Amino acid sequence: MKITELLTKHTIKLNLESSQKENVIEELVSVLDQAGKLNDKEGYKEAVINREKQSSTGIGEGIAIPHAKTASVKEPAIAFGRSKDGVDYESLDGQPSHLVFMIAATDGANNTHLEALSRLSTLLMREEIRKQLLEASSEDEIIDIINQHDKDDEDEEQAEEASAPSAKGKILAVTACPTGIAHTFMAADALKEKAKELGVDIKVETNGSSGIKNGLTAQEIENAVAIIVAADKQVEMDRFQGKHVIEVPVTAGIRRPQELIEQALKQDAPIYRGKGGGAAASEDGAAKGKGGGFYKHLMSGVSNMLPFVVGGGILVAVSFFWGINATKPGDPTYNEFAAVLSNIGGTNALGLIVAVLAGFIAMSIADRPGFAPGMVGGFMATQAGAGFLGGLIAGFLAGYIVVLLKKVFAGLPQVLDGLKPVLLYPLFGIFLTGIIMHYVVNTPVKYIMDGMTHWLEGLGTGNLVVMGIVLGGMMAIDMGGPINKAAFTFGIAMIEAGNFGPHAAIMAGGMVPPLGIALATTFFKNKFSKRDREAGITNYVMGLSFITEGAIPFAAADPARVIPACIIGSAVAGGLSQFFHVTLQAPHGGIFVLFFTTNHALLYLLSILIGAVVTALILGVLKKPVPTEK
């Protein structure tokens, strides 16, 4: 199938009206809807936005490829929008996107459609095509450019197979993204193009929506110098036992192909030991890199836990509207509806967070068979008062127990394979995890959690301020990355343990970066472009909503100035919140929960405001004036 059977004159918009990501998504969704390609416009839009939350589809080089595969799509299609001024799409290189291709795939999209969609992704990696698309004057010219460069995958695969072996040895790679449509193939193409430029022999397996293509053989793996796994979803890893394996996000394959290839040639990577399909373990068993095991599994648990934290936390905060004790029967301020909200959000939603954390950690390690043992282990930790630490232990314990069970049951006759996931893994996984949690883990971990809570409660003002400074600053270092998530997870653990002080510093620190940047764009207009000033307005809303990620585009464009300014402002806010002994009972919600869930709402607001002003003033001093815009 040709790409232009999916991209037609009716799904092209040569001049996008907006320069903001959310509005551009709305524009292109409307283009597809008006062309009769969607069953449910709002459902498709929601699917696209949910994909953006996993990682921005602004891949750099002036390109963005928002996409979704959902039943809301009537028939597979591609919409194209072009912006001469550029769209602030939170791209990997911090630059605006000028070419936006929106891919709509149906749940039942056949291989022919998916191959055409993925082929578009690889075409856009070529600079000459991007230049032609930017200069095209009509929809017909856009169609002609795509047709001119569109060719079958078979031709590409034959050309790849015919490439001469390299004296440097052969590198293998696997690419995969959650939807398997765009990033999967762009990473593969970037690796192949860079390898060709460097004179390196490479073979890339893609794990796309249409299945595995260009699969790696056992002989190729045996002879490979090293393997690059650029993936944001689970891929088959056990076949790489004993090989040097580099594990990175799929976007690294797009943005850093040369670095990864050179690292593979040097075999500068841990040797994979088959730890449950999770991390590539080094000789001493330590996971390496952001894609490494511990971080990858922990973030799987945290990211799946967050909806429970946000939804449950805000419902608890709303219940305080009737009074801090309005949920307690017998209190003069008791309100039945407030008690219902507290029960839904606190007793149920927040009551599940440790179990969900443990379940998804175990699932990340051992795939689906690990989920049930992890959930049970996490729930047992909650019931025993072992809290977050108990849940973390339960998740990793359950995951690796199931990995062990897979090896133990590997020798069973093939006719019993169907019993493993429905009987053997859940039965023995839950039993072994439960026994160890009950007799070994829960009691000592409960003592540790209780001890930590008592220690925090006994800290003097000076020590509390230092802790607030550290926690607040951590929220701004990587703005949603591992350091930020580590601080946030600690705060949730303390709320779950009944200590509400640390999370006040954490939320304050997380609100400051976007608020500080918003203030800077308002009061130091000569230091920011028109596009940045428009984005600054959005950051007021994001900061007040405790969405630290709103500061990322500014930090990516000017990290040397923006990141230190944000860290200092966030640290000031965190320290002040603890100096004022502020407590916060809601884990999320920003300004919308501040007046219901804090003991010193005005002092807390003052702490956040001072931190934001500090960030804004530092940016006003450090940043240089931008050229006057005509």
Side-chain angles (χ1 to χ4, degrees):
M1 171 177 271
K2 302 283 288 183
I3 292 173
T4 48
E5 292 179 50
L6 303 174
L7 175 68
T8 68
K9 290 173 60 176
H10 302 295
T11 59
I12 294 175
K13 188 170 186 177
L14 287 180
N15 295 297
L16 291 170
E17 299 169 12
S18 177
S19 62
Q20 296 301 310
K21 177 177 180 177
E22 294 80 6
N23 296 335
V24 166
I25 289 174
E26 175 66 36
E27 283 186 60
L28 291 180
V29 169
S30 295
V31 167
L32 289 170
D33 188 48
Q34 291 165 10
K37 305 297 182 182
L38 305 178
N39 291 317
D40 178 0
K41 177 183 175 183
E42 292 303 318
Y44 175 69
K45 178 182 174 183
E46 183 180 356
V48 172
I49 292 173
N50 286 337
R51 171 62 187 87
E52 292 296 324
K53 290 177 181 177
Q54 297 178 33
S55 62
S56 175
T57 57
I59 61 168
E61 307 295 345
I63 306 167
I65 309 185
H67 55 273
K69 182 180 177 184
T70 169
S72 299
V73 177
K74 183 185 298 183
E75 58 181 277
I78 301 169
F80 169 59
R82 187 177 66 183
S83 171
K84 290 296 179 74
D85 296 329
V87 177
D88 182 7
Y89 214 89
E90 302 173 9
S91 296
L92 298 172
D93 57 3
Q95 299 303 310
S97 298
H98 298 277
L99 306 174
V100 184
F101 285 86
M102 178 172 280
I103 297 174
T106 62
D107 261 344
N110 60 37
N111 288 355
T112 312
H113 289 137
L114 295 171
E115 286 167 5
L117 296 173
S118 63
R119 208 157 57 244
L120 169 68
S121 305
T122 59
L123 290 182
L124 294 175
M125 294 303 293
R126 294 165 57 181
E127 184 178 359
E128 69 271 20
I129 298 177
R130 299 197 299 269
K131 185 177 180 182
Q132 291 172 14
L133 292 172
L134 282 170
E135 295 173 352
S137 58
S138 68
E139 290 88 348
D140 287 326
E141 195 173 343
I142 295 288
I143 298 294
D144 290 340
I145 291 168
I146 297 295
N147 279 332
Q148 177 186 348
H149 296 283
D150 190 12
K151 61 183 179 178
D152 290 336
D153 287 350
E154 287 184 12
D155 296 336
E156 294 179 2
E157 288 183 14
Q158 288 171 3
E160 185 177 328
E161 290 172 3
S163 62
S166 167
K168 299 177 182 178
K170 188 165 188 173
I171 293 172
L172 303 180
V174 180
T175 61
C177 70
T179 53
I181 295 175
H183 288 58
T184 299
F185 300 96
M186 299 188 81
D189 198 57
L191 288 166
K192 287 188 284 188
E193 287 293 322
K194 185 56 66 175
K196 182 178 179 181
E197 180 184 320
L198 297 174
V200 175
D201 192 12
I202 192 170
K203 179 177 179 180
V204 184
E205 171 187 295
T206 55
N207 284 225
S209 288
S210 56
I212 295 174
K213 293 188 64 179
N214 211 27
L216 307 179
T217 67
Q219 189 62 47
E220 287 170 334
I221 294 171
E222 177 66 27
N223 296 333
V225 174
I227 293 100
I228 300 168
V229 177
D232 287 337
K233 70 173 187 178
Q234 191 135 353
V235 298
E236 176 55 45
M237 295 293 296
D238 286 346
R239 51 188 167 154
F240 301 140
Q241 296 239 18
K243 304 299 294 185
H244 292 276
V245 177
I246 302 168
E247 288 190 82
V248 293
V250 69
T251 50
I254 300 172
R255 302 301 312 154
R256 302 188 283 115
Q258 181 168 342
E259 177 186 329
L260 295 175
I261 290 169
E262 291 174 348
Q263 186 180 346
L265 289 174
K266 296 175 185 175
Q267 295 188 324
D268 180 18
I271 292 176
Y272 186 76
R273 297 297 185 194
K275 292 201 170 186
S282 61
E283 297 286 359
D284 60 359
K288 182 178 181 178
K290 185 179 176 180
F294 181 82
Y295 174 82
K296 180 178 178 181
H297 305 321
L298 177 60
M299 286 302 103
S300 177
V302 171
S303 62
N304 283 287
M305 175 194 73
L306 280 180
F308 294 83
V309 171
V310 176
I314 293 178
L315 285 176
V316 170
V318 173
S319 75
F320 293 145
F321 176 78
W322 288 271
I324 200 71
N325 295 315
T327 61
K328 299 177 180 178
D331 190 272
T333 62
Y334 175 75
N335 181 281
E336 184 178 354
F337 187 64
V340 170
L341 290 178
S342 180
N343 182 55
I344 295 170
T347 307
N348 292 286
L350 294 182
L352 285 171
I353 59 177
V354 174
V356 171
L357 174 78
F360 280 97
I361 287 174
M363 186 173 175
S364 177
I365 295 169
D367 213 342
R368 195 176 299 275
F371 184 69
M375 281 285 290
V376 171
F379 188 69
M380 290 180 68
T382 300
Q383 297 296 97
F388 253 68
L389 181 56
L392 288 174
I393 294 172
F396 284 96
L397 174 67
Y400 288 119
I401 282 176
V402 173
V403 170
L404 179 62
L405 290 174
K406 288 182 178 182
K407 293 180 179 179
V408 170
F409 295 135
L412 291 178
Q414 190 171 355
V415 294
L416 297 178
D417 281 354
L419 287 177
K420 293 178 184 178
V422 298
L423 175 62
L424 299 180
Y425 296 151
L427 173 60
F428 288 97
I430 292 173
F431 170 71
L432 293 173
T433 301
I435 287 292
I436 295 173
M437 289 298 295
H438 181 80
Y439 287 106
V440 179
V441 175
N442 281 341
T443 300
V445 171
K446 182 181 185 300
Y447 287 138
I448 293 172
M449 291 299 293
D450 289 346
M452 182 182 295
T453 302
H454 294 323
W455 174 70
L456 288 172
E457 290 172 349
L459 286 177
T461 299
N463 289 328
L464 282 174
V465 170
V466 172
M467 181 181 67
I469 289 171
V470 172
L471 291 174
M474 287 174 69
M475 292 298 290
I477 291 174
D478 53 1
M479 303 177 191
I483 298 174
N484 171 287
K485 286 292 188 293
F488 183 78
T489 304
F490 175 76
I492 299 298
M494 289 300 97
I495 287 179
E496 202 268 342
N499 189 300
F500 305 115
H503 202 71
I506 289 162
M507 189 182 288
M511 293 172 69
V512 162
L515 287 175
I517 288 170
L519 290 173
T521 61
T522 300
F523 294 102
F524 302 100
K525 294 182 178 180
N526 65 321
K527 303 294 182 80
F528 296 90
S529 67
K530 180 181 178 182
R531 180 174 65 85
D532 286 342
R533 293 197 299 272
E534 291 173 350
I537 296 172
T538 305
N539 266 1
Y540 278 114
V541 178
M542 298 187 82
L544 292 173
S545 304
F546 183 38
I547 303 175
T548 315
E549 288 82 354
I552 289 176
F554 293 86
D558 189 7
R561 296 179 178 88
V562 174
I563 293 177
C566 289
I567 292 173
I568 294 170
S570 292
V572 168
L576 285 173
S577 75
Q578 294 305 282
F579 177 77
F580 295 134
H581 294 278
V582 175
T583 60
L584 179 69
Q585 297 187 43
H588 211 286
I591 192 71
F592 304 104
V593 303
L594 188 151
F595 290 97
F596 306 142
T597 60
T598 58
N599 57 336
H600 301 299
L602 293 178
L603 289 175
Y604 191 36
L605 189 61
L606 178 65
S607 303
I608 296 167
L609 179 61
I610 291 174
V613 169
V614 168
T615 292
L617 290 174
I618 294 173
L619 288 174
V621 172
L622 294 182
K623 288 187 72 70
K624 298 178 181 179
V626 298
T628 303
E629 295 173 308
K630 296 183 180 179

